[in-house]
Amino acid sequence: MSRDRLRASLLLVVTLATLADLVFVSTQAQWLAMVALGGYLLTLRGLSTMARILLGAAALLSLVALWHHPASLALLREAAGRFAFFATFLVALGLLRLPAYRSRLVNRCGHAMLLQPPSRRYPILSLGSALFGIILNIGVLNLVAAMIEKSNTLAAAQGRLWVQKARQRRMMLALLRGFSLAPLVSPMGIGMAVVLSSMEGLRWIELAPYALGAALVLFLVGWGVDRVTGPRMQQTSEHAVPSLRPLGRFSLLLLSLVALIFSLSWGLDLRLPTAVLLGAPLGAFLWLCWQFRRHGMAGMPTAAVALHRGLPRLVSPASNEIVVLGAAGYLGHLCVGLVDGSALAGSLGFLSSLGAGTAVVAMLLVAVLAQVGINPIVSVTLLAGILPTLGIEGLSPPILAVSLLVGWTLALMSSPMTVSMLILSRFTGVSSLRIGYRWNGLFLCLAMPLVAAWFLVARF
């Protein structure tokens, strides 16, 4: 058995065992998931520096937990369960990439977004990448950035290098800002999963109005900055403007997938993150069945074979992503367990005087900590576990949850250490520091106070 096939098999065991534990509350399944996860981590080679640092920090903090925590084994088992949960989340969502990359509709959507005139390109590319990100997650950056690189040629800019660079900057920023809205707009995103699993009793429907409102504020600020700072160029008829009908069809497909997930959540009485873990693979299989429907038996045998063959190819390149997100979730849970809540409540007592303004502090903490390499999963898990215990008057759970998600969104748009920024740096040849702070600096300076004002207004 090849190493890639072995890793895929171990991750499949992790996924199935974690799902069994979440649905049936099975201790045996939980242990099986942890054993398979340990085997998977032992097979990994060539991890990124960030992944190795997080694994090292996880090992050190585990030793601290064994030394200091009175119920250390239970804490470590729960933290390992969080690692397995995030690994399962990435595998489940990753399966959607297989039918998406095969889909002619997805390709037509990509070209329709890129070939719009400059006045319409930002909103369409930004909203389109947000929609694509719901299904493709981080894969949307590789997919659309490659399309941008291919279409933004010097010939298309009529030999004007400055036009080519301006187009690259505007389109890449639209892609980044649109993708970064995923924690706010996607009920299937990793950000929503972290918040909903960390704040027991909170439902997506309760925070959706605040989250979508904050996303609208960020989108409008980004569009405004693009319009103001973009170069004024004479419109040319380089090509026919393609129809946006493929994006409409893709939106219907996305709505069908979301409806499937919510139906599973309501019909089986499951929390939304668990329903996502069940609905995403089922949606991927049904989408493949539709693509192979002419192969007989409604395409099910061919779709099953395609999933079996495609799984190693999907999960093998995602090892760094799985380790980074899983280890960050593990560290966040350990931090919550090791922190002395009463002592922390005393030291953070000044937050009580801020009331709903604490939401702004939480947002800034997540964004600022990401600048020095602290993954939002760690900071959001920690803050979502501690702040609700302080009993801050005027700080409702939905407002707190959305403030953490906005901080996560701002971190994705600015931190030079995020995977999203590193991907764009690779495609553009521009340093992630320049993209985050120079290209996006004006937007961040305007977005932070405006979204902070949104929190203070929305609480009423």
Side-chain angles (χ1 to χ4, degrees), residues 22-254:
L22 289 172
V23 176
F24 303 110
V25 192
S26 168
T27 304
Q28 292 86 352
Q30 190 179 55
W31 280 107
L32 178 60
M34 287 188 287
V35 170
L37 180 62
Y40 170 76
L41 293 176
L42 290 175
T43 65
L44 295 179
R45 299 289 185 275
L47 289 174
S48 67
T49 302
M50 185 182 299
R52 291 198 301 270
I53 289 173
L54 284 172
L55 279 180
L60 288 174
L61 203 59
S62 299
L63 293 176
V64 173
L66 286 171
W67 184 261
H68 286 289
H69 199 274
S72 57
L73 292 181
L75 178 63
L76 291 175
R77 179 170 57 83
E78 292 169 0
R82 296 284 288 181
F83 199 131
F85 172 84
F86 288 123
T88 299
F89 205 90
L90 288 177
V91 172
L93 289 181
L95 291 176
L96 287 166
R97 298 183 192 180
L98 185 60
Y101 287 149
R102 293 179 45 85
S103 172
R104 285 178 294 181
L105 174 62
V106 170
N107 286 330
R108 288 200 296 270
C109 287
H111 290 296
M113 289 190 298
L114 293 179
L115 298 180
Q116 296 298 314
S119 60
R120 297 194 314 201
R121 190 182 294 141
Y122 181 92
I124 292 172
L125 188 57
S126 183
L127 293 175
S129 60
L131 290 176
F132 273 61
I134 293 176
I135 284 184
L136 297 176
N137 198 6
I138 200 75
V140 70
L141 293 177
N142 285 304
L143 178 66
V144 181
M147 291 181 179
I148 291 174
E149 187 180 45
K150 184 177 179 180
S151 65
N152 186 35
T153 61
L154 193 59
Q158 300 178 337
R160 295 171 294 178
L161 183 61
W162 70 272
V163 172
Q164 183 188 26
K165 289 183 175 180
R167 286 176 175 173
Q168 179 196 58
R169 180 176 179 271
R170 294 179 72 181
M171 287 194 287
M172 288 296 185
L173 283 178
L175 171 61
L176 173 65
R177 292 172 189 161
F179 167 76
S180 300
L181 292 177
L184 289 167
V185 303
S186 173
M188 300 162 48
I190 194 73
M192 199 66 71
V194 171
V195 166
L196 293 179
S197 60
S198 299
M199 301 178 69
E200 292 291 334
L202 183 63
R203 297 180 301 161
W204 179 82
I205 195 68
E206 295 176 287
L207 59 85
Y210 304 107
L212 295 177
L216 180 61
V217 170
L218 292 172
F219 168 74
L220 292 176
V221 173
W223 191 4
V225 170
D226 178 77
R227 294 284 292 168
V228 170
T229 61
R232 300 289 181 265
M233 293 180 290
Q234 185 178 359
Q235 297 284 348
T236 60
S237 55
E238 300 170 13
H239 49 71
V241 178
S243 168
L244 294 177
R245 194 169 299 168
L247 277 173
R249 293 177 58 193
F250 182 80
S251 298
L252 291 177
L253 173 67
L254 185 61

Side-chain angles (χ1 to χ4, degrees), residues 2 4 76 80 83 101 165 171 187 189 207 209 287 291 295 334 341 365 379 397 399 411 415 431:
S2 69
D4 286 348
L76 291 175
F83 199 131
Y101 287 149
K165 289 183 175 180
M171 287 194 287
L207 59 85
W287 193 357
Q291 292 177 349
H295 289 214
L334 283 186
L365 273 174
S379 54
I399 289 288
S415 172
S431 74

Side-chain angles (χ1 to χ4, degrees), residues 414-416 421 425 430-440:
S414 60
S415 172
M421 201 69 74
S425 177
V430 178
S431 74
S432 56
L433 281 169
R434 184 176 179 83
I435 295 174
Y437 300 149
R438 291 287 298 277
W439 283 13
N440 231 8

Side-chain angles (χ1 to χ4, degrees), residues 293-306:
R293 61 190 181 278
R294 295 186 177 88
H295 289 214
M297 297 182 65
M300 289 189 290
T302 312
V305 171

